[in-house]
């Protein structure tokens, strides 16, 4: 391939990438909830193993030719009796492009030994959703989660 042909191909690729980065929608969701955990037994039936308390930030960016999803969370795990088991802090993101047909994924996780979620009442064991958070509470959760995930 000669130099001129190489430059034309490079220019076309650059234009395609720029087109993929057009205007789109970015949505950030800050959540505080409790959900049941389960595991599959030998018979293939899922049994409740306990519950987890979660503080999470999910950011989704959707544009014409790509989607990015970023999740940062703190999850405190409890058994069915309400006994604390462990805490997992994680940061995951996924990117998918239709222009250059590439998917990428990144996962970082750390296990802690003390409960670390906030704004969840002690007696909340299942199906709790804090859906009427004020802007101050959302910012508090965001700062809290980011303080843990930036250390990963």
């Amino acid at each position: 391939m000669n130099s001129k042909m190489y430059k034309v191909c490079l220019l076309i690729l650059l234009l395609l990438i720029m087109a993929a980065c057009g205007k789109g929608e970015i949505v950030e969701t800050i959540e505080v909830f409790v959900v049941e955990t389960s595991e599959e037994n030998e018979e293939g039936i899922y049994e409740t193993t306990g519950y987890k308390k979660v503080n999470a930030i999910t950011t989704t960016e959707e544009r014409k030719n790509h989607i990015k999803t970023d999740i940062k969370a703190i999850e405190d795990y409890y058994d069915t009796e309400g006994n604390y088991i462990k805490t997992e802090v994680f940061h995951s993101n996924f990117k998918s492009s239709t222009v250059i047909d590439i998917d990428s994924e990144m996962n970082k996780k750390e296990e802690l030994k003390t409960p670390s979620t906030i704004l969840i009442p002690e007696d909340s064991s299942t199906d709790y959703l804090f859906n009427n958070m004020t802007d101050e509470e959302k910012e508090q959760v965001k700062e809290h989660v980011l303080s843990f995930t930036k250390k990963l």
Side-chain angles (χ1 to χ4, degrees), residues 33-84:
F33 61 92
V34 179
V35 65
E36 203 173 76
T37 57
S38 62
E39 288 183 15
E40 187 175 7
N41 66 19
E42 293 172 1
E43 293 83 37
I45 299 170
Y46 283 87
E47 295 179 326
T48 300
T49 57
Y51 59 94
K52 64 181 175 179
K53 295 180 178 184
V54 181
N55 292 160
I57 305 166
T58 304
T59 307
T60 305
E61 178 182 331
E62 190 170 348
R63 297 184 189 250
K64 182 179 176 185
N65 295 309
H66 78 268
I67 297 174
K68 293 180 186 179
T69 303
D70 186 84
I71 302 169
K72 297 176 180 91
I74 302 168
E75 298 179 338
D76 294 334
Y77 287 84
Y78 297 83
D79 65 17
T80 54
E81 302 297 317
N83 300 307
Y84 172 75

